[in-house]
Amino acid sequence: MRRTVFNEDHEAFRETLRAFIEAEVVPVYDEWFQAGIAPREFYYKLAELGLFGINVDEEYGGAGLDTHKFEAIQYEETARAGVNFGGSGVHVLLALPYIKMLATADQKKRWLPKFVSAEEMWAIAMTEPGTGSDLAGMKTTAKLSEDGTHYVLNGAKTFITGGVHADRVIVCARTAPPTPEDRRHGISLFAVDTKSEGYSIGRKLDKLGLRTSDTAELAFVDVKVPVEDLMGEENKGFSYLGKNLASERWGIAFGAYAQAKAAVEFAKKYTQDRTVFGQPVAAFQNTKFELAACKAEVDAAEAVADRALEALDAGELTAAEAASAKLFCTEVAHRVIDRCLQLHGGYGYMNEYPIARLYADNRVNRIYGGTSEIMKTIIAKDMGL
């Protein structure tokens, strides 16, 4: 089937990005993998390539576009090369939508030029130790000072992607207690400068996968946050958090599909090159059938991911549709990548092979952004069940 989601401009971008990855990422990726983090300087190269400004207005140094298709190509090309761009994904996919949705004109002038240039890398801090998906149960507090000039932030966050290199973090904190009628009341969002006194980075967490993406614990002890850095209205943060879930879940869905597609190519090449019992592994009927079945699943996931992408760009992707895309694509990727690793035999378990890293990287897709079980709940509710 002919794919129609991308045009000539997108494909030109793909060629540029592919060349960049081959020149700037592939030669040093093993070093990043061993270090467990991509270097901060690399983000300036992404900024020079224009990746951070695609969806930012021209007055702030961006390209002024309103599309997720260039992000989609990044998912496909990084997966194809068996690499990722460290913790920079959260900068654009998660943080930028909140800036565009909530920032005042003055805040945009202060933040967006530095966002585009990578002078300030952003992350978002929601999850706390012991709360997990129950954001209404967060304990981090932000109390307004007596003179009304700043908030005093206290608490801790965990599983913060991009947390090591972040220069500014969108922190969710309680500015008022929950009410008996609404546990979600009283949460606010703040753009916290990581250089602030009392702000500290704890452990860089040792993850199963996504090794080059820095994930950290954060702590706040009497951190002073200027009132000018409150995002949106006080106590309405929980409602803001829900508005960007569709785009976040689309991103996870598309990334998972791209990983599955890459896995099939890795397995195809390996089985064609690997000889067993005097013939290529790809010559055996089982190998052909396994790869054919995987290809069929990837084709279906591609169609779902592309449809969700078009709906997202049109502003029509519903919460249930995003949940369905995430559930389907992540479950397909789980099955496909596992089968492709099996075709590698023992070498599939070695980190020097991209399929092994892909296997570990992919596992979190069914957890973050809402678990597969939560996605089923959303879909079932939409069905009236």
Side-chain angles (χ1 to χ4, degrees), residues 43 116 208 213 321:
Y43 298 150
V116 172
L208 170 67
S213 175
E321 290 168 345

Side-chain angles (χ1 to χ4, degrees), residues 116-324:
V116 172
S117 68
E119 183 179 344
E120 282 191 351
M121 293 299 296
W122 286 60
I124 184 165
M126 294 186 281
T127 305
E128 296 184 359
T131 62
S133 299
D134 182 21
L135 295 179
M138 69 176 61
K139 305 298 183 183
T140 298
T141 60
K143 297 182 179 180
L144 188 64
S145 63
E146 291 185 3
D147 62 7
T149 61
H150 63 273
Y151 291 85
V152 180
L153 182 68
N154 284 282
K157 300 290 183 178
T158 192
F159 304 149
I160 310 307
T161 303
V164 174
H165 283 323
D167 301 289
R168 196 172 283 271
V169 177
I170 301 173
V171 177
C172 309
R174 282 210 164 273
T175 44
T179 65
E181 298 80 19
D182 187 3
R183 292 178 62 242
R184 300 173 295 183
H185 172 76
I187 294 173
S188 301
L189 306 185
F190 299 90
V192 180
D193 186 338
T194 63
K195 297 185 294 296
S196 302
E197 184 177 353
Y199 180 104
S200 62
I201 301 171
R203 292 183 302 153
K204 180 174 76 66
L205 299 174
D206 185 16
K207 306 188 299 297
L208 170 67
L210 298 176
R211 303 284 299 180
T212 64
S213 175
D214 54 301
T215 302
E217 295 174 328
L218 306 179
F220 321 111
V221 179
D222 294 333
V223 176
K224 293 182 179 180
V225 183
V227 293
E228 292 82 8
D229 289 344
L230 170 69
M231 300 185 72
E233 295 184 46
E234 191 179 82
N235 300 327
K236 292 187 177 181
F238 199 94
S239 65
Y240 300 144
L241 295 176
K243 291 180 180 178
N244 287 321
L245 282 175
S247 62
E248 178 183 352
R249 287 169 179 164
W250 164 80
I252 297 170
F254 206 97
Y257 137 71
Q259 289 175 324
K261 183 176 182 179
V264 173
E265 290 303 312
F266 293 146
K268 177 183 173 182
K269 184 178 187 306
Y270 177 83
T271 57
Q272 288 175 328
D273 293 343
R274 174 72 166 164
T275 300
V276 178
F277 302 120
Q279 61 181 321
V281 175
F284 292 93
Q285 185 184 65
N286 179 69
T287 304
K288 295 177 181 179
F289 281 7
E290 282 292 282
L291 287 174
C294 288
K295 174 65 163 56
E297 287 213 74
V298 169
D299 285 347
E302 180 180 86
V304 169
D306 283 356
R307 185 180 69 176
L309 171 56
E310 295 284 25
L312 181 63
D313 269 11
E316 299 172 353
L317 185 65
T318 68
E321 290 168 345
S324 179

Side-chain angles (χ1 to χ4, degrees), residues 24 34 59 62 75 94-95 102-103 110 122 125 129 135 202 242 253 319 325 332 338 343 361:
E24 300 289 346
Q34 295 302 323
E59 63 182 297
Y75 284 124
L94 298 187
L102 301 175
R110 286 195 290 126
W122 286 60
L135 295 179
V332 163
D338 183 75
L343 290 173
D361 290 351

